[in-house]
Amino acid sequence: MADLKERLLPPKPSSAINLRETINNRPSASGRVPFQGVDVLGLKKRGQGLRSWIRVDSSGNSQIIEVDKFTMMRRCDLPARDLRLLDPLFVYPSTILGREKAIVVNLEQIRCIITAEEVLLLNSLDSYVLQYVVELQRRLKTTGVDEVWQNDANHGADLNRRRGSRTFDNVFGNTSPDYLPFEFRALEVALEAACTFLDSQAAELEIEAYPLLDELTSKISTLNLERVRRLKSRLVALTRRVQKVRDEIEQLMDDDGDMAEMYLTEKKMRMESFVYGDQSVTGYRSIDGASFSAPVSPVSSPPESRKLEKSLSIARSRHESTKSSESSTENIEELEMLLEAYFVVIDSTLNKLTSLKEYIDDTEDFINIQLDNVRNQLIQFELLLTTATFVVAIFGVVAGIFGMNFEIPMFGNPDAFKWVLLITGVSGIIIFSAFVWFFRYKRLMPL
């Protein structure tokens, strides 16, 4: 850490170091050494240090770049709070944010910034991040969809230079539902990776849970209960993560404005069309079929022609805004279908986890019923044991009575002991049977 700090931070002058040591070692008026504060400047510099990013362009080429935080903010036009979502030191729930020039994606291990031209991921050795990069490169290099968009864009730019105007029909007229812009393909791979990761974890949890729960129902032990408790805690954490991804996708599907904000390629082409349109209007003016390189002076044009140009420009702008809104509405349906497909996948994973949780709850109820049954049997046995103890106590009462120091004629009869023992035993059996009949009559014992 010290070597990294020396490389990143500029060296301090010796005069500043001596001055700081003099101030820190100087005692105060009370004779105490002043408080040794934290080096806030060093913390700020470390927060602004270079970070390694994996860059994947629209052609599928990847490279590793080192960019600091402020450069990344200026490059993608993002605030600092959006970059905090990508920081591995912080734990944030799954989030998909659509900004002016980028899409911030935080889906499980996939944390990236998607623009209209490139994807930026924090350089990590995580296998899921590497799989995301490989899969994105494979799709970009095999489908060739980006070439269609680039050809449409170049073709539209040439038309603007020749004709001096550009409409969205020239750009998006050749697109098909199977062809998606670069940012949506990158977003699709991220959604697929997150959904696959969560679904695999749910499948592993199912494979581990059902045999364990069946074993617990057959044998209730402390070890099995502890394993089920850990399993349930993992299930709750995974369900929370899946629910957050599902809610995020559903929130995007319910908000047309957020979906329209994520059309980065379309917004980029729109800005280019506006720039080319302004250049064509200001650079060329055609009068009676002749074109001039300089704009026509407003002084030389009559007031009627200026009014006509103004009305035509207003009508043209309204027509273009109407077309752009219609095209954005149609394209939103494509993004909505994409999100809906993965919404079905993540909802299926959530249903699996919900079914597993219900099975765990049913198992807990079954175990509680078993424990209640055992507890009831113990109570019944304790009741019978208490009744038998009462009957045996009768023999003690009779023995205590005949053990008193007094003379009666019965003591001289040799058969008196047998009769006393027989009568006491029969009386005890009758009393015990009466108690058992009473318990069954009151339904305190099973019939």
Side-chain angles (χ1 to χ4, degrees):
M1 182 61 71
D3 297 337
L4 181 60
K5 182 178 178 181
E6 290 178 0
R7 291 199 304 268
L8 295 180
L9 297 180
K12 298 180 181 179
S14 59
S15 59
I17 297 176
N18 297 331
L19 180 60
R20 172 175 285 186
E21 292 179 355
T22 303
I23 294 175
N24 292 336
N25 296 327
R26 182 183 302 170
S28 60
S30 59
R32 299 178 180 177
V33 179
F35 175 72
Q36 302 292 334
V38 181
D39 190 1
V40 181
L41 181 60
L43 292 176
K44 289 183 178 179
K45 291 294 183 181
R46 284 195 296 270
Q48 301 170 6
L50 298 177
R51 286 190 175 181
S52 179
W53 295 78
I54 301 177
R55 177 183 178 272
V56 181
D57 58 10
S58 58
S59 300
N61 301 320
S62 64
Q63 61 177 348
I64 298 177
I65 59 176
E66 291 186 354
V67 184
D68 59 354
K69 185 175 182 180
F70 289 107
T71 304
M72 185 61 65
M73 291 168 58
R74 292 192 298 267
R75 181 172 183 168
C76 301
D77 195 12
L78 293 175
R81 61 178 178 271
D82 290 344
L83 292 182
R84 282 199 297 269
L85 297 174
L86 309 179
D87 198 332
L89 299 178
F90 299 97
V91 179
Y92 288 100
S94 298
T95 308
I96 301 176
L97 299 177
R99 299 307 185 199
E100 182 65 27
K101 296 182 180 180
I103 300 174
V104 182
V105 178
N106 178 17
L107 294 174
E108 296 300 320
Q109 281 81 6
I110 308 300
R111 299 184 177 188
C112 61
I113 301 174
I114 302 174
T115 64
E117 301 172 349
E118 60 185 3
V119 177
L120 298 169
L121 299 96
L122 282 174
N123 192 4
S124 175
L125 298 178
D126 193 353
S127 61
Y128 287 96
V129 176
L130 300 179
Q131 290 177 5
Y132 172 79
V133 175
V134 172
E135 179 66 20
L136 181 59
Q137 289 178 337
R138 185 187 66 82
R139 295 192 182 185
L140 292 176
K141 292 180 179 180
T142 56
T143 56
V145 178
D146 185 68
E147 297 178 358
V148 177
W149 284 84
Q150 294 297 333
N151 292 333
D152 290 340
N154 297 331
H155 179 65
D158 295 337
L159 289 177
N160 285 327
R161 293 188 183 96
R162 291 195 301 265
R163 300 178 184 178
S165 63
R166 180 175 181 178
T167 61
F168 289 102
D169 296 335
N170 294 329
V171 180
F172 299 100
N174 295 327
T175 60
S176 62
D178 296 334
Y179 288 167
L180 293 176
F182 169 75
E183 64 271 13
F184 290 161
R185 281 177 287 149
L187 179 62
E188 181 182 6
V189 177
L191 288 171
E192 182 179 351
C195 293
T196 304
F197 174 71
L198 293 175
D199 188 70
S200 63
Q201 284 197 341
E204 293 177 0
L205 202 60
E206 282 184 333
I207 295 174
E208 183 182 356
Y210 287 110
L212 179 59
L213 294 174
D214 295 338
E215 182 181 357
L216 181 62
T217 54
S218 60
K219 181 182 179 181
I220 302 174
S221 62
T222 305
L223 179 60
N224 291 335
L225 289 174
E226 178 64 21
R227 293 171 62 187
V228 171
R229 185 190 65 82
R230 294 178 182 177
L231 179 69
K232 189 174 182 179
S233 63
R234 289 169 52 194
L235 175 63
V236 171
L238 182 59
T239 304
R240 189 183 301 113
R241 289 158 52 192
V242 173
Q243 183 69 42
K244 181 59 182 175
V245 175
R246 180 185 179 277
D247 293 342
E248 191 67 24
I249 297 177
E250 186 177 11
Q251 183 179 359
L252 285 176
M253 292 171 58
D254 293 338
D255 196 338
D256 294 342
D258 290 343
M259 287 192 291
E261 194 72 20
M262 297 171 67
Y263 279 82
L264 305 180
T265 303
E266 182 178 351
K267 289 192 292 185
K268 179 183 176 182
M269 292 181 178
R270 189 184 305 159
M271 292 299 296
E272 292 177 356
S273 67
F274 289 159
V275 171
Y276 290 138
D278 293 339
Q279 291 178 356
S280 62
V281 170
T282 56
Y284 298 95
R285 290 293 180 92
S286 60
I287 300 177
D288 296 332
S291 62
F292 300 93
S293 60
V296 180
S297 175
V299 178
S300 60
S301 60
E304 291 79 4
S305 62
R306 290 201 301 267
K307 291 181 181 180
L308 181 60
E309 287 182 4
K310 186 175 181 180
S311 61
L312 289 176
S313 63
I314 294 174
R316 189 184 301 110
S317 62
R318 289 180 180 177
H319 180 65
E320 289 179 355
S321 63
T322 303
K323 286 187 176 181
S324 62
S325 62
E326 291 177 355
S327 61
S328 62
T329 304
E330 294 177 356
N331 291 332
I332 283 176
E333 295 179 357
E334 297 179 359
L335 178 58
E336 188 174 3
M337 292 175 62
L338 173 65
L339 295 176
E340 186 178 358
Y342 290 98
F343 178 80
V344 172
V345 175
I346 200 68
D347 189 66
S348 176
T349 304
L350 184 61
N351 291 333
K352 291 181 183 178
L353 297 176
T354 303
S355 301
L356 181 58
K357 186 177 183 303
E358 292 177 355
Y359 190 80
I360 292 177
D361 294 338
D362 295 339
T363 304
E364 290 180 350
D365 295 338
F366 179 74
I367 292 173
N368 291 330
I369 292 173
Q370 282 187 335
L371 294 177
D372 292 339
N373 186 26
V374 172
R375 191 180 300 111
N376 292 334
Q377 291 178 359
L378 291 176
I379 292 173
Q380 293 172 6
F381 178 74
E382 184 181 2
L383 188 59
L384 291 176
L385 187 60
T386 303
T387 305
T389 304
F390 175 74
V391 172
V392 173
I394 296 176
F395 286 90
V397 172
V398 174
I401 292 174
F402 283 95
M404 293 181 181
N405 191 11
F406 61 92
E407 293 289 339
I408 56 174
M410 187 184 298
F411 290 163
N413 189 357
D415 296 331
F417 177 75
K418 297 179 180 180
W419 285 103
V420 171
L421 185 61
L422 181 60
I423 294 173
T424 305
V426 172
S427 301
I429 293 174
I430 294 173
I431 294 173
F432 183 79
S433 302
F435 272 110
V436 171
W437 176 83
F438 178 76
F439 293 152
R440 291 188 175 182
Y441 177 75
K442 294 295 184 180
R443 297 183 182 276
L444 299 176
M445 294 180 62
L447 298 178

